[in-house]
Amino acid sequence: MADDQHYDVIIIGSGAGGGTLAHRLAPTGKRVLILERGDYLPRERDNWDSTAVFVKGKYRAPEFWYDKHGNQFPPEVNYYVGGNTKFYGAALFRLRPEDFGELRHHDGISPAWPIRYEDLEPYYTQAEHLYLVHGRHGEDPTGGPTSAQYAYPPVEHEARIQQLSDDLGKAGLHPFHLPIGVNLTQDENGRATHDSVCIRCDRVDGFPCLVGAKSDAQVICVDPALENDNVTMVTNADVRRLETDPTGRTVTRVVAGLENGVTEGFSADIVVVAAGAVNSAVLLLRSAGDKHPGGLANSSDVVGRHYMRHNNLALMAVSKEPNPTRFQKTLALNDWYLGADDWEYPLGGIQMLGKSDADQIHGEAPRWAGAVTPDMPFEVLAHHAVDFWLCGEDLPLAESRVTLDKDDAIHLALDEKNNVAGLKRLQHKLRGMLGHLGMHEHHLLSHSIYLHKGMPIGATAHQAGTVRFGDDPKSSALDVNCKAHDLDNLYVVDTSFFPSIGAVNPSLTAIANALRVGDHIAARLS
């Protein structure tokens, strides 16, 4: 490709933010270039192999970052077309209306956003329809008002999860169908029809989808966008820095290392960074220059700071009856999202995980020594397992931050005990209900295989907050349209812009915001 090619828009990254933005801009006819660090994910049997995906981490980026003590750890990142959505569980929740305002937590304040739930609501609806989200608005009492129902009915519970839902309801709680993005058509019994792309298998959570039935950014947005002649993508393009004009107000060149070892430059009227909260911050910090000595868009000194990743806990309960469920990720519970009778602060939410299997449990065997009864082999344990994901809010701290050292290595400082009291109470709530839910009361096992082998700092799947948006240029890097305060043509459209993270998966909010910013950029280009 010629070094002097100029585009209307360059988008760096093709995940939930970048891929969705490309899809939004494709119909404008403007010349759009996607620069993707990775390539297309290979389609192979290992896509659905537990040992390859979870135990060996075959598809994770072969790189290490450093914690605040200088210790190496492998981050949970994947560099492919579609970004981390290739491996996400496609749980596509809206933030609660309260999440957009200031919320008091046990350990501090979750700050207000510069926009309200009502500002994003139309884009939430568009995002749900675009990403084929199956669900039913109105079931979750903590959910905000909606302008339209989901376009697709909820994924029906299988028998054991329906029993769990019924038992939770009898306990006075409000379980609801988890909103999930899958290309599924169900018959009257909830089974996949003969022409359904999704087959309701047990590989939805954490696995890439071999049949393209999961609503990831590549399948839903990037591939359709590339059908337009005005949209181009260069894969294996590792963007190293952004260069500006002498005034420092305009990004004039995007410098990338390509697959053949050549360094190449690209230019555009508008440049959008959507490389993930850590790598977007890294790119801006690495692009420091005379006019931006602390990093691009960083006159406020917030770039890289306020890193958040949720307080997560994956737990496996042992059902007294077998759990033959295959598609388990269909139920969620938010009754204690904003507080409880015995606790005035938010606890978070509970949702089902994909069904664990014997290989995953084998991989965790050393951690469970003594916790699993010797007369219950791993295969039997897996057959009785019911898998839960507990999610609490991580608060944005200035000292939780991404930095670069002189050797260009990434450092991630994190307070792993930040605001964990609510999550512990949520775990206690679940543990106290097990006997009433048909499960062994003492069998609730920490399932750290989802948390990168017990290294919580390595669990970066929900990374957010490092290039926050806001009204005040002194305390934020971006304005309400996600344009850098310091530059005229630089935007950041991934989870970096979050001022707070709430306690639900961040993907749908990133997608909805990309649609919102896409409309702003399209209007600007016109």
Side-chain angles (χ1 to χ4, degrees):
M1 300 186 69
D3 195 62
D4 60 354
Q5 285 198 83
H6 187 81
Y7 295 84
D8 293 300
V9 182
I10 289 176
I11 301 171
I12 302 164
S14 63
T20 303
L21 178 64
H23 186 273
R24 190 62 147 200
L25 296 178
T28 66
K30 300 296 183 180
R31 296 189 68 210
V32 177
L33 173 66
I34 306 168
L35 295 175
E36 168 52 49
R37 181 171 180 169
D39 207 333
Y40 280 91
L41 180 81
R43 293 186 69 193
E44 56 193 10
R45 288 185 63 136
D46 274 355
N47 287 178
W48 281 356
D49 182 82
S50 291
T51 300
V53 173
F54 286 111
V55 181
K56 295 182 179 179
K58 177 175 181 176
Y59 301 108
R60 291 216 173 102
E63 63 183 59
F64 288 89
W65 299 347
Y66 295 85
D67 66 15
K68 60 186 176 184
H69 305 295
N71 300 315
Q72 282 188 339
F73 67 91
E76 193 178 85
V77 292
N78 310 277
Y79 300 140
Y80 297 102
V81 178
N84 282 334
T85 67
K86 294 301 295 181
F87 292 84
Y88 77 160
L92 294 169
F93 291 90
R94 301 180 178 208
L95 287 170
R96 315 292 97 177
E98 292 84 355
D99 288 321
F100 290 84
E102 186 176 282
L103 266 180
R104 183 170 297 279
H105 286 257
H106 180 266
D107 285 1
I109 298 294
S110 176
W113 289 40
I115 61 174
R116 305 289 84 204
Y117 172 86
E118 290 75 18
D119 298 321
L120 204 55
E121 196 286 327
Y123 294 102
Y124 270 140
T125 294
Q126 294 173 35
E128 288 162 350
H129 293 182
L130 175 62
Y131 274 72
L132 313 180
V133 181
H134 289 61
R136 184 178 292 128
H137 286 304
E139 291 182 333
D140 175 9
T142 71
T146 59
S147 55
Q149 187 53 264
Y150 290 109
Y152 303 93
V155 179
E156 296 292 341
H157 301 313
E158 293 178 43
R160 181 64 186 90
I161 306 306
Q162 183 62 57
Q163 183 62 52
L164 173 62
S165 179
D166 294 343
D167 291 341
L168 289 167
K170 290 174 185 175
L173 300 172
H174 303 84
F176 61 95
H177 288 88
L178 185 151
I180 187 165
V182 284
N183 192 356
L184 170 69
T185 306
Q186 302 170 102
D187 65 16
E188 63 275 10
N189 298 310
R191 297 174 301 205
T193 61
H194 74 279
D195 58 349
S196 174
V197 180
C198 175
I199 58 174
R200 287 195 64 126
C201 71
D202 58 357
R203 306 283 94 169
V204 66
D205 204 1
F207 296 91
C209 185
L210 255 175
V211 297
K214 182 165 64 177
S215 296
D216 64 53
Q218 176 224 314
V219 171
I220 295 295
C221 288
V222 177
D223 289 351
L226 290 172
E227 294 175 4
N228 296 270
D229 293 339
N230 58 303
V231 181
T232 308
M233 180 168 65
V234 178
T235 56
N236 299 297
D238 184 7
V239 176
R240 303 303 299 165
R241 62 181 290 109
L242 306 177
E243 297 177 353
T244 67
D245 67 359
T247 71
R249 292 292 305 180
T250 303
V251 176
T252 54
R253 195 164 180 259
V254 177
V255 181
L258 303 185
E259 189 174 18
N260 56 10
V262 172
T263 299
E264 196 154 332
F266 306 87
S267 64
D269 293 342
I270 291 175
V271 175
V272 182
V273 178
V278 170
N279 280 308
S280 287
V282 164
L283 176 59
L284 297 179
L285 293 172
R286 192 189 289 130
S287 300
D290 291 342
K291 295 293 183 180
H292 302 277
L296 211 57
N298 196 26
S299 64
S300 59
D301 191 35
V302 302
V303 172
R305 295 186 183 273
H306 307 109
Y307 172 83
M308 299 168 287
R309 83 308 178 220
H310 280 139
N311 292 321
N312 288 326
L313 194 56
L315 298 170
M316 189 182 78
V318 182
S319 173
K320 295 175 182 176
E321 298 297 323
N323 179 20
T325 306
R326 295 183 63 79
F327 198 107
Q328 183 173 258
K329 200 176 176 73
T330 59
L331 181 144
L333 185 75
N334 278 341
D335 283 67
W336 302 297
Y337 191 94
L338 296 168
D341 292 342
D342 56 351
W343 181 250
E344 61 181 307
Y345 305 108
L347 279 70
I350 299 173
Q351 56 182 278
M352 306 308 299
L353 277 169
K355 184 75 176 70
S356 59
D357 59 29
D359 289 340
Q360 292 172 35
I361 295 173
H362 266 114
E364 285 301 286
R367 286 183 53 81
W368 289 346
V372 180
T373 52
D375 58 344
M376 186 176 285
F378 292 126
E379 289 76 9
V380 177
L381 185 63
H383 194 49
H384 286 256
V386 181
D387 307 87
F388 296 94
W389 179 259
L390 279 59
C391 188
E393 182 162 359
D394 182 20
L395 297 179
L397 305 177
E399 58 270 26
S400 291
R401 64 183 301 197
V402 180
T403 54
L404 279 173
D405 65 23
K406 57 182 174 53
D407 298 319
D408 203 41
I410 297 173
H411 290 249
L412 182 58
L414 178 67
D415 180 355
E416 296 176 18
K417 296 182 180 179
N418 172 23
N419 202 40
V420 298
L423 183 69
K424 290 179 179 178
R425 284 180 174 263
L426 192 61
Q427 181 181 3
H428 181 74
K429 294 278 190 189
L430 179 59
R431 184 182 294 276
M433 293 191 299
L434 289 181
H436 302 290
L437 300 176
M439 300 176 202
H440 296 283
E441 295 187 34
H442 302 296
H443 276 326
L444 192 58
L445 310 176
S446 175
H447 201 342
S448 71
I449 198 161
Y450 290 97
L451 299 183
H452 215 285
K453 288 293 182 184
M455 179 82 75
I457 194 171
T460 58
H462 289 190
Q463 57 183 278
T466 56
V467 196
R468 52 171 32 185
F469 78 159
D471 294 317
D472 186 355
K474 294 180 181 179
S475 59
S476 59
L478 310 173
D479 67 15
V480 293
N481 292 314
C482 291
K483 185 188 76 66
H485 290 299
D486 301 343
L487 293 105
D488 298 325
N489 70 333
L490 177 65
Y491 292 78
V492 180
V493 184
D494 52 24
T495 52
S496 302
F497 84 97
F498 284 34
S500 68
I501 196 171
V504 291
N505 312 47
S507 298
L508 188 73
T509 301
I511 292 164
N513 184 65
L515 297 174
R516 182 183 72 94
V517 176
D519 282 354
H520 162 79
I521 292 176
R524 177 175 170 175
L525 288 169
S526 65

